[in-house]
Amino acid sequence: MKKISGKQEELADLLVRARRNACQLSALPDDLVPANAADAYAVNQIVAERLGWEPLGWKIAGTTEGVKSKLRLDGPIYGRTFRRFACTSPARFKAGELLDPLIECEFFVTLARDLPPREKPWTLPETIEAIGEVHAGIEVAECRYARKALPPMPAILADGSASGRYVFGDKIENWRERLASTPVRVEFDGVLRREGVGADVMGDPLRPLWWLAEQRRQWGDGLRAGETISTGSMTGMLPVRGGQHVRARFGDVATIEITIDL
């Protein structure tokens, strides 16, 4: 990783404190916004190292046309995630502990072996062969910047692309044959809010994993066995508030439930 600037150091310090204190920054000075994605990801790596928390893996976002349009992205984005924020369905969270939470229905892919850095690009079949298991999942995304005062995208990348909490549903058997065709319906308080299908995610929800393997190969550290990667939401980003109950149905293979207590 290249040496980071004093401004990047300052932003990393702010984000580390925000993570540790589970709070948001009310505003970010323009001169602290990273100049580009590479600088932003460098800050995210420094934040993860300084926190010292056990990594869960990575999140990927911006993998559907709807999300890319909403966030004004040219392609996917990613960020580091942490095991302390992983749990299983049914899950309960206190509204006061969440930072502008967004519900995102995804597949959680866990690697059985490394995808290390190398000169030759990874292929999609090679990437798929590294997968150990796949779960249905919901990311409760959170941002260390207040939604009413979001800074430019590079600052959000520095915050791990708003990585949050990860609710694991059932393991998906025969995942090789069924992920792209799996329908997803998400309900709030019993009312359907959004529908999607696995193929909405880059045509195949395993393609984002391949994309990330290439990103990290070029970065120089790769992906590691045991890491879980959330491959992008089939149902977009849905704000949730205290008092609501969320149920996501992944076809006939899994149901995930989350309650947000007041």
Side-chain angles (χ1 to χ4, degrees):
M1 188 183 74
K2 70 177 183 178
K3 181 177 176 61
I4 68 173
S5 69
K7 292 298 183 181
Q8 289 172 289
E9 291 272 4
E10 189 175 346
L11 176 57
D13 286 341
L14 289 174
L15 290 171
V16 167
R17 287 198 295 271
R19 286 269 181 179
R20 286 181 174 155
N21 297 326
C23 67
Q24 291 177 311
L25 306 174
S26 58
L28 187 70
D30 290 343
D31 63 350
L32 293 189
V33 176
N36 51 52
D39 288 350
Y41 289 134
V43 172
N44 185 225
Q45 182 164 326
I46 292 296
V47 170
E49 291 171 354
R50 291 181 180 173
L51 286 171
W53 294 345
E54 181 183 1
L56 173 65
W58 305 89
K59 72 165 285 182
I60 309 175
T63 55
T64 64
E65 291 304 316
V67 173
K68 283 197 298 183
S69 176
K70 186 176 181 65
L71 298 180
R72 300 180 181 179
L73 298 173
D74 295 327
I77 58 177
Y78 68 94
R80 177 57 88 181
T81 62
F82 302 99
R83 194 165 298 278
R84 62 173 52 203
F85 299 119
C87 60
T88 57
S89 172
R92 303 187 78 98
F93 302 114
K94 293 181 180 179
E97 296 176 351
L98 300 175
L99 308 176
D100 287 336
L102 298 170
I103 296 295
E104 302 181 0
C105 299
E106 316 192 23
F107 292 115
F108 293 173
V109 175
T110 301
L111 298 179
R113 59 176 180 264
D114 295 346
L115 290 166
R118 67 181 192 182
E119 289 189 11
K120 182 182 177 182
W122 291 106
T123 66
L124 179 57
E126 287 176 319
T127 305
I128 291 173
E129 285 302 313
I131 296 172
E133 58 187 29
V134 180
H135 288 76
I138 289 180
E139 180 188 7
V140 184
E142 300 178 86
C143 193
R144 266 43 60 179
Y145 312 106
R147 188 179 298 158
K148 62 184 179 182
L150 286 177
M153 182 54 64
I156 297 172
L157 302 185
D159 182 39
S161 296
S163 67
R165 301 169 192 240
Y166 298 84
V167 183
F168 283 70
D170 293 332
K171 184 164 66 173
I172 299 176
E173 306 295 343
N174 303 317
W175 52 265
R176 292 173 184 264
E177 294 81 29
R178 69 191 315 167
L179 291 190
S181 61
T182 298
V184 182
R185 295 165 55 91
V186 59
E187 304 169 352
F188 282 25
D189 299 325
V191 177
L192 179 65
R193 289 292 306 276
R194 196 75 58 81
E195 294 181 277
V197 66
D200 291 340
V201 175
M202 295 174 66
D204 179 339
L206 296 180
R207 291 184 71 87
L209 175 65
W210 178 29
W211 172 84
L212 182 63
E214 275 298 285
Q215 294 294 307
R216 298 312 298 181
R217 179 187 70 83
Q218 295 169 27
W219 190 270
D221 61 355
L223 301 177
R224 297 178 181 177
E227 289 185 327
T228 294
I229 296 91
S230 59
T231 60
S233 177
M234 287 85 75
T235 55
M237 305 173 293
L238 293 168
V240 66
R241 63 178 185 274
Q244 290 187 311
H245 178 265
V246 178
R247 178 184 292 112
R249 305 180 190 275
F250 288 69
D252 60 357
V253 299
T255 298
I256 300 175
E257 300 196 46
I258 299 173
T259 300
I260 310 295
D261 294 324
L262 291 169

